[in-house]
Amino acid sequence: MTRPPTFEELFRDCQRTAVHLEMRDAYMKSDPAFIDWQAGVVLDPAERWADWHAIVTEATSRGVEVRRARVVSTPVSEYIRFEYDVTDGLNIAAGEEVRWLSRRNATDIALPGNDFWLFDSRLVLVNHFDGEGENMEVELTEDAEVAKLCESAFEAVWKRARPHAQFELA
């Protein structure tokens, strides 16, 4: 059995685009960074997640367009406040474009049942989480229909979503 590629390998092999659609209001609340943030610890995202920052920075420096769209309930959860707070120093600093969409504005968009990454419009990494937002497993597929669905959903969200700096957490 071959092991699935790492994020580093997926980004290294990516040539044009890497898009990520997030649709949960909480992820891995057991994450030590989230726990520190809750306790008021000031985080340097680029330092805390140095490996992730390096992977994305390398990809964007090669011209890979990295976009992340987040569909969130409003008012936002405490975890989404945490994500919002670290986005500038992590995602945007690494070269990602990030947009946010209130779930109430996504009702008429057909969305896949799971969060995903789509690499070069053909390779889909599906993220499976448990009910508490803890990561369970990932699934990798090159099924053209799945890739088409994911790309269509992402682009529909992206079109309506607000850039990070313009999104209000209210």
Side-chain angles (χ1 to χ4, degrees):
M1 181 176 192
T2 62
R3 75 169 173 75
T6 65
F7 267 110
E8 184 174 8
E9 292 166 336
L10 290 167
F11 272 91
R12 183 196 62 218
D13 295 342
C14 187
Q15 301 298 309
R16 297 177 321 282
T17 60
V19 301
H20 184 39
L21 184 60
E22 297 178 5
M23 298 178 286
R24 297 185 57 88
D25 288 320
Y27 295 90
M28 300 171 285
K29 292 189 273 184
S30 63
D31 179 351
F34 176 60
I35 294 167
D36 285 350
W37 177 86
Q38 285 180 304
V41 174
V42 177
L43 302 174
D44 177 351
E47 179 182 307
R48 189 76 174 239
W49 295 282
D51 291 344
W52 176 255
H53 189 268
I55 289 167
V56 176
T57 300
E58 190 281 327
T60 58
S61 70
R62 286 188 290 109
V64 175
E65 179 184 43
V66 181
R67 296 183 294 156
R68 178 184 303 257
R70 293 175 168 145
V71 178
V72 298
S73 297
T74 51
V76 299
S77 68
E78 186 175 24
Y79 191 89
I80 295 302
R81 287 186 184 282
F82 160 69
E83 276 193 335
Y84 187 87
D85 283 353
V86 300
T87 294
D88 272 325
L90 179 64
N91 309 94
I92 293 173
E96 284 187 57
E97 294 178 64
V98 179
R99 291 189 183 180
W100 302 78
L101 181 65
S102 172
R103 192 173 313 285
R104 67 182 65 238
N105 295 323
T107 302
D108 62 344
I109 300 174
L111 298 171
N114 297 293
D115 290 16
F116 62 85
W117 276 95
L118 175 61
F119 296 93
D120 291 332
S121 300
R122 64 167 189 76
L123 180 63
V124 182
L125 178 88
V126 180
N127 296 300
H128 295 284
F129 298 95
D130 69 14
E132 298 298 320
E134 297 296 324
N135 191 22
M136 291 178 35
E137 64 182 284
V138 296
E139 173 187 352
L140 201 58
T141 181
E142 292 188 74
D143 182 302
E145 290 301 314
V146 173
K148 183 178 176 181
L149 169 69
C150 291
E151 186 167 42
S152 174
F154 181 87
E155 293 303 334
V157 168
W158 189 257
K159 184 176 179 179
R160 286 191 193 171
R162 302 187 86 173
H164 175 70
Q166 295 175 10
F167 185 73
E168 296 180 23
L169 292 178

